[in-house]
Amino acid sequence: MKKKKTKTKYIDDGHTVYNMDGVGGARHREDKDEPKLSKKEKRAAIRAALETYLPGLLMVVAAFTLASLLIFLWLK
């Protein structure tokens, strides 16, 4: 016969394993982290980001459309 495993009861003794103060996300970000860009530089940065990410986004949308079309034709 197998012996039953005894579950150990966890007793909270109140000690801290790691100090979690200051962990919380973007709320604690300081203003000096923001880059100071002029209007022209900001537009150039946005345009560069769009030129970088737009082809990948369009490929994902095209693949989803193609998969949907194939499923529609298959189930028809």
Side-chain angles (χ1 to χ4, degrees):
M1 292 176 42
K2 292 184 180 180
K3 290 185 180 179
K4 287 188 177 181
K5 291 184 180 179
T6 59
K7 292 185 179 180
T8 57
K9 290 187 178 180
Y10 175 73
I11 300 171
D12 186 14
D13 58 357
H15 77 278
T16 303
V17 176
Y18 184 75
N19 185 8
M20 298 298 282
D21 291 341
V23 177
R27 292 188 310 241
H28 302 286
R29 200 169 74 190
E30 297 178 12
D31 290 334
K32 64 182 179 182
D33 291 343
E34 293 289 326
K36 302 294 182 193
L37 298 175
S38 68
K39 200 173 202 180
K40 192 174 184 180
E41 290 172 334
K42 194 179 291 186
R43 285 183 184 160
I46 291 171
R47 183 176 176 178
L50 285 175
E51 287 178 358
T52 302
Y53 293 115
L54 196 59
L57 176 66
L58 291 177
M59 283 191 281
V60 168
V61 170
F64 181 76
T65 304
L66 180 64
S68 299
L69 180 66
L70 288 173
I71 290 171
F72 174 75
L73 292 174
W74 180 42
L75 295 177
K76 189 173 180 182

